[in-house]
């Protein structure tokens, strides 16, 4: 008595609120039940598998993923902790902020691009070629060349001992060649009228024999005849070494003369040669026992920039 009689609108609102509360509670219960059932029986529709190693056996639980979302976007990797980064750096032996670019490899194109600057800077700083600070030697050591990189330059001729194939030159500071050596063939003894020659073995094995002129050292005065000078002209072999794939060698005239050849008796060998600056001719010796008899040989190319001449 005295209370307002609920109208039809009030009843409808109450029913709506009650139904909403019931549906919300029911949905929560069904959601919880669905999660439990999901753990008991994996769902086959698009799912993401998570392996739980907390038990003695491998337990796999599944979580439903949206149809338009890939599992990779659902499972975000956790960020690495500082200890993880330190451990990875220790394994890789490459500290994150202590990377040394001088130890990284470079391609043939990168070598060609860096050669003029490296040669000019080295000369400006007075660094002797072939010394410990030789940046060009380091460049040659770093360059990684596979056969596909030089296949267009690799022209061999079975009728010759070796072929000289021009890869690149600027005409003033350097000439870069690919030499193809036929089995068990070699060059004559020769000099290098330039700052030096850098050589890197790309395929097979090559040998190098170094010589020095001992004519003046063997010259002497005959004690029985002051007017007679006894001389024994000749080139003496002072060093012989075999270089394998990836190894680099350097020589200039202050170190002596040399000849290079293919150590292998059945397979072709290939070497990368850098001369700085370019030269047009050199001296060669066919008879090491007579150093006074040398020839002038012009620097000819079998091919240039991939085309046989």
């Amino acid at each position: 008595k005295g209370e307002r009689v609920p109208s039809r609108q009030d009843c409808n609102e109450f029913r709506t609120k009650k139904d909403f509360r019931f549906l919300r509670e029911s949905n929560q219960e069904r959601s919880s039940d669905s999660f439990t059932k999901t753990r008991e029986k994996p769902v086959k529709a698009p799912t993401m598998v998570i392996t739980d190693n907390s038990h003695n056996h491998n337990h796999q639980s599944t979580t439903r993923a949206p149809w338009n979302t890939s599992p990779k976007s659902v499972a975000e990797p956790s960020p690495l902790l500082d200890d993880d980064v330190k451990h990875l750096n220790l394994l890789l032996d490459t500290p994150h902020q202590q990377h040394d670019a001088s130890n990284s490899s470079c391609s043939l194109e990168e070598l060609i691009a860096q050669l003029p600057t490296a040669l000019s800077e080295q000369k400006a700083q007075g660094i002797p070629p072939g010394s410990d600070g030789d940046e060009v030697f380091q460049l040659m050591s770093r360059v990684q060349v596979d056969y596909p990189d030089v296949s267009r330059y690799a022209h061999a001729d079975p009728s010759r001992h070796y072929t000289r194939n021009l890869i690149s030159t600027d005409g003033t500071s350097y000439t870069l060649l690919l030499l193809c050596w036929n089995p068990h063939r070699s060059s004559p003894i020769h000099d290098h009228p330039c700052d030096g020659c850098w050589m890197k073995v790309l395929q097979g094995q090559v040998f190098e024999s170094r010589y020095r002129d001992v004519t003046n050292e063997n010259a002497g005065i005959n004690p029985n005849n002051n007017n007679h000078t006894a001389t024994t002209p000749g080139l003496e072999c002072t060093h012989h070494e075999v270089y394998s794939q990836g190894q680099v060698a350097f020589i200039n005239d202050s170190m002596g003369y040399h000849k290079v050849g293919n150590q292998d008796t059945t397979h072709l060998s290939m070497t990368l040669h850098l001369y700085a600056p370019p030269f047009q001719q050199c001296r060669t010796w066919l008879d090491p026992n007579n150093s006074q008899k040398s020839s002038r040989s012009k620097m000819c190319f079998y091919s240039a920039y991939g085309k046989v001449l």
Side-chain angles (χ1 to χ4, degrees):
K1 185 178 180 179
E3 295 180 355
R4 185 173 66 85
V5 177
S7 63
R8 181 181 298 275
Q9 183 179 359
D10 293 335
C11 292
N12 290 336
E13 291 179 358
F14 174 79
R15 184 180 296 109
T16 301
K17 293 179 180 179
K18 182 178 180 181
D19 290 344
F20 176 77
R21 185 169 60 252
F22 172 79
L23 290 174
R24 184 178 61 184
E25 293 174 354
S26 177
N27 286 337
Q28 291 177 350
E29 293 175 359
R30 280 185 290 180
S31 176
S32 175
D33 184 62
S34 175
F35 177 76
T36 304
K37 290 181 179 180
T38 301
R39 293 179 61 88
E40 294 174 354
K41 185 177 181 179
V43 180
K44 294 183 179 180
T47 58
M48 175 182 65
V49 179
I50 304 174
T51 303
D52 183 7
N53 297 321
S54 59
H55 304 286
N56 293 331
H57 59 281
N58 288 335
H59 173 72
Q60 292 184 340
S61 62
T62 57
T63 304
R64 183 182 296 273
W67 286 96
N68 58 350
T69 307
S70 63
K72 186 176 180 179
S73 63
V74 174
E76 293 292 338
S78 58
L80 290 175
L81 301 177
D82 291 340
D83 291 341
D84 297 327
V85 175
K86 293 178 181 179
H87 181 62
L88 288 175
N89 287 334
L90 181 62
L91 291 177
L92 297 174
D93 197 25
T94 51
H96 178 64
Q97 296 181 349
Q98 298 181 4
H99 177 68
D100 186 3
S102 63
N103 293 328
S104 61
S105 62
C106 67
S107 64
L108 181 63
E109 290 75 13
E110 291 172 333
L111 171 68
I112 294 172
Q114 297 178 42
L115 276 176
T117 302
L119 288 166
S120 61
E121 289 182 353
Q122 184 163 291
K123 182 170 289 189
Q125 296 174 7
I127 301 175
S131 64
D132 293 338
D134 186 352
E135 184 179 350
V136 178
F137 190 95
Q138 296 174 8
L139 273 174
M140 292 288 286
S141 300
R142 287 167 47 201
V143 65
Q144 297 293 328
V145 178
D146 296 324
Y147 181 74
D149 301 325
V150 296
S151 59
R152 59 176 297 199
Y153 311 109
H155 296 285
D157 187 343
S159 65
R160 305 182 180 215
H161 285 204
Y162 62 99
T163 56
R164 305 174 77 251
N165 304 283
L166 177 64
I167 296 177
S168 176
T169 182
D170 62 358
T172 56
S173 63
Y174 77 93
T175 297
L176 187 65
L177 303 178
L178 177 70
L179 271 63
C180 297
W181 303 87
N182 282 314
H184 205 51
R185 300 300 183 186
S186 64
S187 71
I189 303 171
H190 59 278
D191 67 351
H192 299 89
C194 60
D195 293 341
C197 167
W198 294 261
M199 177 185 73
K200 180 165 187 171
V201 182
L202 302 184
Q203 176 179 299
Q205 288 184 324
V206 298
F207 69 84
E208 180 196 36
S209 298
R210 295 189 179 184
Y211 298 83
R212 65 188 181 97
D213 191 349
V214 295
T215 300
N216 295 329
E217 295 181 10
N218 292 334
I221 302 299
N222 190 324
N224 299 324
N225 186 355
N226 293 335
N227 296 326
H228 176 72
T229 301
T231 61
T232 307
L235 298 175
E236 180 183 64
C237 183
T238 60
H239 183 77
H240 181 85
E241 187 167 350
V242 176
Y243 297 96
S244 301
Q245 182 175 334
Q247 290 187 295
V248 180
F250 172 81
I251 191 172
N252 58 23
D253 285 353
S254 67
M255 303 167 64
Y257 313 135
H258 78 170
K259 74 174 182 179
V260 179
N262 189 352
Q263 181 74 9
D264 200 313
T265 59
T266 56
H267 298 93
L268 191 79
S269 293
M270 293 193 300
T271 51
L272 191 66
H273 289 245
L274 172 66
Y275 304 99
F279 54 91
Q280 302 302 320
Q281 60 181 6
C282 69
R283 287 194 302 165
T284 60
W285 290 267
L286 299 179
D287 183 8
N289 295 319
N290 189 356
S291 63
Q292 295 179 344
K293 187 177 181 180
S294 63
S295 302
R296 292 284 178 178
S297 300
K298 288 186 177 181
M299 297 296 98
C300 299
F301 305 129
Y302 184 78
S303 70
Y305 309 110
K307 295 183 179 181
V308 177
L309 301 176

